[in-house]
């Protein structure tokens, strides 16, 4: 499967995510088959983010959305944050890691620190990603552990997918 098709597949599947703050999809090859997984909210009563309030780490303002304030990440200030299974976690939980071709994973968004730890512990060696994540802890951890990080070039994807980036 060529990289352009992988990018478009990840972006299309990420729309199915039940998380409203971040639409993430992770994919792997097992043999010649490409499997994809999205992040999901474990609490069916909370399929939207209207219940979640975020607090800016710099100025302390509170908002009902995830968008950054003061160019820093917004943190959820309720206990619902842990009810989301990240796409990378879902991928690892549903596969025998020894079957993942070349220990390579393809992700729409660069992994957070939580998923970075998981990917390292399961022996992932290479990560292809489309979008950056505004937290560099995961990147530093992955680099320190010798994981190859490759940002995918999205210039060749079809226009209908560019709006999903």
């Amino acid at each position: 499967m060529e990289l352009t098709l992988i990018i478009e597949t990840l972006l299309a599947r990420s729309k199915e995510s039940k998380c409203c703050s971040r639409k993430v999809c992770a994919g792997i090859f097992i043999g010649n088959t490409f499997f994809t997984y999205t992040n999901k909210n474990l609490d069916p009563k909370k399929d939207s983010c209207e219940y979640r309030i975020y607090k800016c780490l710099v100025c302390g303002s509170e908002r009902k959305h995830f968008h950054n304030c003061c160019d820093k990440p917004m943190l959820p200030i309720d206990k619902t944050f842990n009810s989301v299974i990240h796409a990378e976690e879902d991928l690892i939980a549903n596969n025998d890691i020894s079957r993942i071709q070349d220990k390579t994973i393809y992700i729409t968004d660069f992994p957070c620190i939580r998923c970075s730890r998981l990917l390292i512990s399961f022996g992932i060696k290479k990560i292809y990603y489309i979008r950056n994540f505004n937290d560099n802890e995961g990147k530093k951890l992955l680099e320190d552990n010798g994981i190859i990080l490759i940002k995918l070039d999205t210039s060749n994807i079809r226009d209908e997918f560019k709006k999903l980036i």
Side-chain angles (χ1 to χ4, degrees):
M1 183 181 263
E2 68 175 79
L3 281 178
T4 301
L5 187 54
I6 290 171
I7 293 168
E8 291 178 353
T9 301
L10 290 171
L11 289 170
R13 286 276 290 130
S14 70
K15 292 190 314 184
E16 298 170 21
S17 168
K18 296 295 183 194
C19 182
C20 65
S21 62
R22 207 169 259 299
K23 304 283 188 188
V24 180
C25 181
I28 53 165
F29 278 99
I30 296 179
N32 291 328
T33 306
F34 190 61
F35 293 91
T36 59
Y37 299 84
T38 61
N39 51 340
K40 26 178 102 73
N41 196 326
L42 293 177
D43 188 341
K45 295 177 286 203
K46 297 177 179 173
D47 268 347
S48 76
C49 286
E50 291 180 20
Y51 63 89
R52 193 178 287 171
I53 297 176
Y54 296 90
K55 186 170 189 170
C56 178
L57 295 173
V58 177
C59 69
S61 69
E62 294 181 5
R63 300 171 180 221
K64 287 190 173 186
H65 54 78
F66 184 73
H67 302 294
N68 290 354
C69 176
C70 302
D71 294 324
K72 293 290 180 187
M74 300 289 283
L75 287 182
I77 58 173
D78 63 5
K79 305 250 189 253
T80 58
F81 184 66
N82 290 324
S83 68
V84 174
I85 291 182
H86 293 193
E88 300 91 332
E89 293 172 319
D90 198 26
L91 181 147
I92 296 292
N94 287 293
N95 287 282
D96 176 358
I97 200 74
S98 67
R99 297 177 56 211
I100 297 176
Q101 185 175 318
D102 300 326
K103 302 287 190 208
T104 299
I105 187 170
Y106 302 83
I107 313 172
T108 53
D109 295 57
F110 196 87
C112 66
I113 186 70
R114 173 171 135 184
C115 290
S116 294
R117 287 185 193 116
L118 181 70
L119 296 172
I120 290 166
S121 69
F122 277 90
I124 295 298
K125 301 292 181 205
K126 189 184 295 185
I127 298 172
Y128 287 90
Y129 65 98
I130 298 170
R131 298 180 289 241
N132 288 316
F133 186 60
N134 58 5
D135 181 1
N136 288 324
E137 281 185 272
K139 185 174 187 177
K140 181 173 177 5
L141 182 65
L142 292 164
E143 289 172 341
D144 289 350
N145 281 275
I147 310 301
I148 299 167
L149 307 172
I150 301 169
K151 184 162 189 201
L152 291 165
D153 177 13
T154 58
S155 61
N156 294 326
I157 66 172
R158 291 176 281 169
D159 288 339
E160 66 222 58
F161 294 99
K162 287 184 180 180
K163 65 183 175 195
L164 299 173
I165 296 176

